[in-house]
Amino acid sequence: MEKILILDFGSQYTQLIARRVRELNVYCEIHPHHKAPEIDETVKGVILSGSPFSVLDENSPKPDLSVYRKKLPLLGVCYGAQYLAHTNGGEVMPSNIREYGRANLSFVDKSHQLMKGVSNFSQVWMSHGDTIKRMPEQAEVIASTEDVEVAGYHITGEETYGIQFHPEVYHSTEGSILLKNFIVNICGCKQEWTPQSFVDETVADLKAQLGNDKVVLGLSGGVDSTVAAVLLNKAIGKNLFCIFVDNGLLRKNEFESVLDQYQHLGLNVKGVDAKSKFYSALAGVSDPEAKRKAIGKVFIDVFDEEAHLIEDVKWLAQGTIYPDVIESVSATGGPSATIKSHHNVGGLPDYMKLKIVEPLRLLFKDEVRRVGRSMGLKEELLGRHPFPGPGLAIRILGDITPEKVRILQEVDHLFISGLKKANLYDEVWQAGAILLPVQSVGVMGDERTYEQAVALRAVESTDGMTADWCHLPYEFLAKTSNEIINKVKGVNRVVYDISSKPPATIEWE
């Protein structure tokens, strides 16, 4: 499988570069600059990312690029461009004016492959404090802005390019043209990496890897674990054993409805009602991290018990996706972080002695959805909002009781159902309700009430790394608030969270 390598220097935009490459139906991998793999015939080109560092910093990333230079096409973006210039006889120095945000190209040399089709005055996105004052010998300028003479350059005699702007971001209006020029025209990639090709290759690989072995998979009701299950089912059929645990912290009626959906997909699923075990473990626990640990421990115990009922199971399947894998390694050379557990299954104890299989570990979330769509999964399932692993436990501030769960399930149900009825659900990336540890005075009829307050939360995002609060119509919010207060016993006040991430987080705990 042909691919593009992306060397990560710690830029906030590195994952976005990968997404843009894959939108061209070309497979790519992100690797930290200090752990780059050896090249082989499948590698068609290399992209160097931006970085929060300056090339002038003593502790800035300084990879040896000789393994790539003159052997493969090379594209340096921002820091990558400055590093190529700095290490090849050019001069990089602090800019008099830090250029950040929108700019327009004032000169484009369209005779170069990289710039073909890029128009004069095209808008680009800048984010840098240094500038290339002098280019390396045998380098030529191929793009400029009014403030930055060397916005793009080419080192003659080799397919090595540097650009000072970020073509991967939305604000670079013709960035996709430039990236296609590099990846397709210069690197020669054939654009054959499609959702269907991924399914065919993955199913074949799973068959070879698993043979007749039995696999157990913990389902969550979310997109990732569902698509992973369908892929595995295509590969090994009856040897896949799925377990869906009701921890008592799911949305209203979710356990029954999700089980029904899974059975319609032909999956071998066992539903386990473990509500009482989770409620017992959570009794009196208010600290968010303590809640997570308690839920994780009970889940492992329940999952282990159920897995032991399956004879000769050898593999644990997980819905790990590519961002989880990327986050496991520091791009700046520090110690690796642990890959975060996925769907409450990761981090199983050693005594289970199961090998891990992760069929989605190469995909971003949007690619998971496209793969699911290519296998015929319904939009209702693929379009489900993300839901936190600990469920409603981290949307109930304070300790957990069955009554608090009941109240929040009812509120959440009215909110989510209302979004769907108003055709707003698909415009929202994630939505939910939070039960606050606050009671307030209200008046219902002629009586004074002293009941719970709830907060509604709805955000727009692409990957959850950043998020803006949704500007839901006032009429919708008014109707939803009225319906919640009238129908949910124990609630007399509704507020709407208008915090974005950062500085706030999507969840409150």
Side-chain angles (χ1 to χ4, degrees):
M1 178 168 60
E2 64 182 17
K3 61 189 172 189
I4 297 292
L5 291 185
I6 301 170
L7 297 195
D8 183 23
F9 298 105
S11 169
Q12 62 178 319
Y13 299 133
T14 302
Q15 287 194 32
L16 196 50
I17 298 174
R19 296 167 86 91
R20 294 291 176 261
V21 174
R22 292 183 177 198
E23 285 171 3
L24 294 167
N25 293 331
V26 175
Y27 177 63
C28 64
E29 292 178 355
I30 297 173
H31 292 274
H33 65 88
H34 59 291
K35 292 188 177 179
E38 293 184 8
I39 59 172
D40 56 30
E41 68 279 359
T42 66
V43 180
K44 301 300 181 183
V46 179
I47 298 176
L48 311 177
S49 83
S51 176
F53 288 96
S54 162
V55 296
L56 305 175
D57 292 342
E58 187 177 340
N59 60 342
S60 63
K62 297 178 175 65
D64 178 9
L65 299 178
S66 60
V67 68
Y68 306 120
R69 288 283 301 278
K70 300 184 179 181
K71 301 180 181 73
L72 291 168
L74 199 59
L75 175 64
V77 176
C78 198
Y79 178 93
Q82 294 175 357
Y83 183 72
L84 281 169
H86 180 67
T87 54
N88 286 278
E91 182 182 4
V92 176
M93 59 185 300
S95 176
N96 292 329
I97 301 173
R98 184 174 187 272
E99 191 165 42
Y100 182 86
R102 293 175 179 85
N104 291 93
L105 297 179
S106 58
F107 164 72
V108 177
D109 186 345
K110 297 177 185 177
S111 67
H112 283 273
Q113 281 274 50
L114 189 69
M115 306 307 293
K116 281 188 175 177
V118 178
S119 58
N120 294 325
F121 310 111
S122 175
Q123 179 178 284
V124 295
W125 185 262
M126 296 284 190
S127 180
H128 59 95
D130 293 342
T131 191
I132 300 170
K133 189 68 174 177
R134 187 181 72 252
M135 288 193 302
E137 285 187 24
Q138 299 177 322
E140 53 189 335
V141 175
I142 59 175
S144 304
T145 70
E146 287 189 6
D147 296 320
V148 178
E149 181 187 359
V150 188
Y153 65 86
H154 169 234
I155 297 180
T156 57
E158 56 185 281
E159 297 287 12
T160 298
Y161 300 84
I163 50 174
Q164 186 63 78
F165 54 92
H166 289 270
E168 69 273 19
V169 304
Y170 170 79
H171 303 292
S172 289
T173 52
E174 295 180 341
S176 58
I177 296 174
L178 186 149
L179 287 173
K180 184 177 181 181
N181 286 341
F182 180 71
I183 292 159
V184 178
N185 299 336
I186 296 173
C187 297
C189 292
K190 297 185 180 67
Q191 297 182 278
E192 295 176 342
W193 197 67
T194 63
Q196 190 55 54
S197 71
F198 175 83
V199 171
D200 294 342
E201 288 177 22
T202 302
V203 169
D205 289 345
L206 289 170
K207 285 179 178 178
Q209 181 183 16
L210 302 174
N212 291 317
D213 292 349
K214 292 179 180 177
V215 178
V216 62
L217 168 64
L219 290 168
S220 70
V223 176
D224 301 337
S225 67
T226 301
V227 173
V230 174
L231 276 169
L232 283 158
N233 191 50
K234 279 180 171 287
I236 62 173
K238 60 181 175 54
N239 280 344
L240 173 65
F241 296 81
C242 300
I243 298 171
F244 183 35
V245 177
D246 184 0
N247 58 12
L249 302 163
L250 303 173
R251 288 182 152 135
K252 183 180 179 181
N253 301 327
E254 186 169 30
F255 184 60
E256 295 79 12
S257 65
V258 170
L259 270 180
D260 183 62
Q261 282 182 326
Y262 282 146
Q263 284 160 2
H264 279 86
L265 289 172
L267 298 176
N268 176 18
V269 184
K270 180 179 181 181
V272 181
D273 183 351
K275 289 192 291 285
S276 60
K277 292 181 180 180
F278 283 90
Y279 288 156
S280 294
L282 288 167
V285 179
S286 297
D287 178 74
E289 194 57 33
K291 286 182 195 177
R292 284 185 168 86
K293 288 180 179 177
I295 292 167
K297 182 182 183 306
V298 176
F299 183 88
I300 287 171
D301 291 343
V302 172
F303 192 85
D304 181 44
E305 183 180 328
E306 293 298 325
H308 272 91
L309 298 177
I310 307 167
E311 291 184 9
D312 300 323
V313 64
K314 294 182 179 178
W315 295 84
L316 168 70
Q318 295 189 134
T320 307
I321 61 176
Y322 199 39
D324 304 320
V325 177
I326 297 168
E327 287 167 11
S328 71
V329 184
S330 167
T332 54
S336 297
T338 303
I339 294 178
K340 62 186 178 185
S341 59
H342 210 63
H343 300 313
N344 293 330
V345 180
L348 290 172
D350 291 340
Y351 59 74
M352 287 196 71
K353 300 190 186 307
L354 296 176
K355 293 180 283 187
I356 303 294
V357 56
E358 297 169 320
L360 303 179
R361 64 182 286 112
L362 298 179
L363 301 184
F364 288 103
K365 173 73 81 173
D366 53 332
E367 294 171 326
V368 174
R369 289 193 169 99
R370 288 202 291 272
V371 166
R373 200 169 286 120
S374 76
M375 295 190 295
L377 272 66
K378 293 182 178 178
E379 289 299 324
E380 176 189 359
L381 210 161
L382 294 174
R384 282 173 60 99
H385 288 176
F387 189 65
L392 298 180
I394 59 169
R395 293 182 179 177
I396 297 173
L397 307 193
D399 66 329
I400 309 297
T401 67
E403 174 61 11
K404 288 181 179 179
V405 172
R406 179 199 68 79
I407 291 173
L408 191 55
Q409 283 179 330
E410 294 293 338
V411 172
D412 177 86
H413 177 69
L414 291 171
F415 184 31
I416 299 301
S417 298
L419 287 170
K420 291 178 179 178
K421 288 176 187 174
N423 295 319
L424 294 168
Y425 185 84
D426 292 337
E427 296 180 20
V428 174
W429 190 75
Q430 184 171 336
I434 299 93
L435 184 64
L436 305 179
V438 172
Q439 289 182 306
S440 68
V441 174
V443 177
M444 291 186 179
D446 294 325
E447 295 184 8
R448 175 185 182 277
T449 62
Y450 192 57
E451 294 180 332
Q452 300 290 144
V454 296
L456 305 182
R457 181 86 159 127
V459 299
E460 299 171 339
S461 183
T462 54
D463 53 17
M465 302 298 291
T466 61
D468 291 322
W469 62 277
C470 289
H471 293 243
L472 297 177
Y474 287 150
E475 295 80 5
F476 169 79
L477 290 172
K479 181 180 179 181
T480 302
S481 172
N482 187 58
E483 194 170 13
I484 289 169
I485 291 170
N486 284 335
K487 291 184 177 180
V488 182
K489 185 177 179 182
V491 175
N492 70 354
R493 189 175 300 271
V494 176
V495 300
Y496 187 54
D497 183 349
I498 59 169
S499 310
S500 292
K501 175 187 180 182
T505 52
I506 295 175
E507 299 294 343
W508 281 40
E509 288 192 341

